[in-house]
């Protein structure tokens, strides 16, 4: 357990100013001392770097030196909590959790099997099916071309932030994108309202809270207008998902679609904070505070409910350097 407060390092911090500030506010609320630090390939030359107590420039995630650079920062700065903000280093960090632990640092990612399921959309859909949850069908190109369906979603099976995700209409578009998008999978198109559900699980795999957020407007793969909504069926299905995934102390960001008939189709699982997570925090589900409580006290004080109907409108702002 962490006894002397939290010296936190956010990786690929980039534009995650709101997430960093949420941890800073949670520490104050919980009576914890906290230092908020950021690591990014731009170092201090990014918005979150400007808002960090200290900012560190590191190599891109895929560089051979990336892990060693993070470990050097952890050891030199006595970092005791490391929080990733994007998908790209999740498996690397999960695989090397023990190395960070030996350096006195908790890596806030789910356990490795859960991350592997979340990072490979083929494994995600297989897991969802095994859990008895509805999800879009996956087609081969030949199957899709022979199908009566006219629209399909194509995306890389290891993609992130909706990069190279397209809706193909007709056989010509389908063949074009199937050959253009690397590592692409072809999914059944499901029409309906998009939702994101933020799930908090304890170190004992207890599902502490599920908060559904309606994705009213999206920009570059992240919600720009969202609203919390209490949906008992959605919450119970997400709870089942997390119970079967058994990720340990973690946050899961689950995306799904609710059809006009009320059916729920699960699309993907992200093993990290989503861009719209501050809406969940504001609605009373203070995940950053619960993380600190779990690590310092062994238990989190999660409330029984959250504020439904709370809307968030995101916008760009400025930081002057």
């Amino acid at each position: 357990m962490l006894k002397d407060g939290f010296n936190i390092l956010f990786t690929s911090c980039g534009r995650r100013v709101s997430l960093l500030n949420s941890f800073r506010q949670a520490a104050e609320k919980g009576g914890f001392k906290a230092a908020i630090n950021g690591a990014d390939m731009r170092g201090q030359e990014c918005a979150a770097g400007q808002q960090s107590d200290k900012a560190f420039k590191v190599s891109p995630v895929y560089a051979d030196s990336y892990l060693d650079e993070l470990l050097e920062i952890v050891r030199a700065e006595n970092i005791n909590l490391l929080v990733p903000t994007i998908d790209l280093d999740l498996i690397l960090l999960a695989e090397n959790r023990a190395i960070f632990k030996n350096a006195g640092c908790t890596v806030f990612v789910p356990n490795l099997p859960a991350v592997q399921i979340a990072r490979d959309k083929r494994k995600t859909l297989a897991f969802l099916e095994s859990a008895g949850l509805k999800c879009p069908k996956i087609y081969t190109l030949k199957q899709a071309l022979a199908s009566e369906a006219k629209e399909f979603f194509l995306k890389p099976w290891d993609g992130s932030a909706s990069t190279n995700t397209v809706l193909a209409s007709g056989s010509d578009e389908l063949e074009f994108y199937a050959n253009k998008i690397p590592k692409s999978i072809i999914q059944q198109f499901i029409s309906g309202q998009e939702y994101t559900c933020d799930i908090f699980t304890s170190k004992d795999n207890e599902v502490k809270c599920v908060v559904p957020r309606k994705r009213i407007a999206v920009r570059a793969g992240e919600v720009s207008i969202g609203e919390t909504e209490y949906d008992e069926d959605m919450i119970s299905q997400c709870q089942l998902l997390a119970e079967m995934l058994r990720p340990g102390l973690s946050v899961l960001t689950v995306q799904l679609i609710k059809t006009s008939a009320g059916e729920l189709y699960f699309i993907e699982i992200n093993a990290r904070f989503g861009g719209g997570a501050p809406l969940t925090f504001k609605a009373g589900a203070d995940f950053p505070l619960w993380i600190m409580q779990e690590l310092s006290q062994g238990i989190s004080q999660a409330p029984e409910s959250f504020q439904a109907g709370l809307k968030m409108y995101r916008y760009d702002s400025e930081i002057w350097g």
Side-chain angles (χ1 to χ4, degrees):
M1 293 194 301
L2 308 175
K3 298 179 180 179
D4 300 321
F6 293 88
N7 198 3
I8 309 172
L9 180 67
F10 294 85
T11 64
S12 303
C13 60
R15 294 163 53 90
R16 300 292 192 191
V17 174
S18 187
L19 180 62
L20 270 63
N21 286 341
S22 295
F23 271 80
R24 200 185 301 275
Q25 293 159 8
E28 183 177 351
K29 179 180 177 182
F32 298 107
K33 294 180 180 179
I36 305 297
N37 309 287
D40 193 87
M41 59 186 296
R42 295 182 178 85
Q44 196 173 12
E45 294 301 308
C46 63
Q50 289 288 318
Q51 293 293 94
S52 300
D53 294 320
K54 288 186 179 181
F56 304 92
K57 187 173 183 178
V58 294
S59 299
V61 171
Y62 289 127
D64 292 338
S65 61
Y66 177 73
L67 185 67
D68 289 336
E69 291 174 26
L70 288 184
L71 281 165
E72 184 178 345
I73 296 168
V74 165
R75 291 169 177 146
E77 301 294 328
N78 296 314
I79 302 295
N80 56 18
L81 178 59
L82 188 147
V83 181
T85 66
I86 62 173
D87 296 314
L88 301 181
D89 56 357
L90 293 179
I91 287 180
L92 179 68
L93 292 173
E95 288 175 336
N96 291 279
R97 185 193 307 273
I99 299 175
F100 284 92
K101 184 177 180 180
N102 290 338
C105 180
T106 297
V107 175
F108 188 72
V109 295
N111 59 45
L112 181 58
V115 174
Q116 289 171 329
I117 288 171
R119 284 295 294 130
D120 186 329
K121 291 176 176 55
R122 301 166 300 182
K123 292 181 179 179
T124 300
L125 295 173
F127 165 78
L128 292 169
E129 288 179 349
S130 71
L133 299 169
K134 290 183 179 179
C135 55
K137 297 177 183 177
I138 293 182
Y139 299 92
T140 65
L141 179 57
K142 183 177 180 180
Q143 289 171 334
L145 290 171
S147 170
E148 294 182 359
K150 301 301 180 184
E151 293 182 308
F152 301 89
F153 259 120
L154 286 84
K155 62 177 73 172
W157 58 258
D158 62 348
S160 178
S162 296
T163 302
N164 285 332
T165 297
V166 297
L167 176 63
S169 301
S171 58
D172 289 344
E173 282 192 10
L174 178 60
E175 288 190 87
F176 173 78
Y177 286 117
N179 291 317
K180 182 179 180 181
I181 299 173
K183 303 179 182 178
S184 64
I185 59 172
I186 302 171
Q187 282 187 328
Q188 173 190 11
F189 171 67
I190 306 294
S191 177
Q193 174 63 55
E194 288 187 65
Y195 284 83
T196 295
C197 289
D198 293 322
I199 307 172
F200 183 87
T201 58
S202 72
K203 62 181 183 299
D204 298 323
N205 290 299
E206 181 184 357
V207 182
K208 292 282 192 175
C209 187
V210 179
V211 179
R213 299 187 274 111
K214 186 186 295 184
R215 290 162 66 89
I216 298 172
V218 178
R219 184 182 71 169
E222 284 194 1
V223 62
S224 56
I225 303 175
E227 181 178 8
T228 56
E229 181 176 310
Y230 186 85
D231 186 309
E232 189 171 347
D233 187 28
M234 195 176 297
I235 291 171
S236 64
Q237 290 197 39
C238 283
Q239 187 166 4
L240 172 64
L241 181 157
E243 287 171 350
M244 293 193 66
L245 190 61
R246 296 184 61 81
L249 177 59
S250 68
V251 167
L252 301 174
T253 305
V254 175
Q255 293 186 349
L256 63 154
I257 292 175
K258 185 175 185 178
T259 69
S260 57
E263 294 179 304
L264 301 179
Y265 283 83
F266 287 79
I267 306 301
E268 58 183 67
I269 303 168
N270 295 302
R272 55 165 175 80
F273 286 106
L279 172 56
T280 287
F281 308 157
K282 189 71 174 178
D286 198 340
F287 290 9
L289 176 60
W290 302 347
I291 293 166
M292 296 179 194
Q293 289 174 338
E294 284 267 346
L295 292 175
S296 62
Q297 303 163 13
I299 190 170
S300 53
Q301 305 298 321
E304 294 183 357
S305 62
F306 61 89
Q307 181 183 349
L310 179 64
K311 275 191 175 181
M312 173 185 70
Y313 302 87
R314 302 180 79 194
Y315 68 100
D316 288 335
S317 188
E318 299 79 29
I319 294 173
W320 308 107

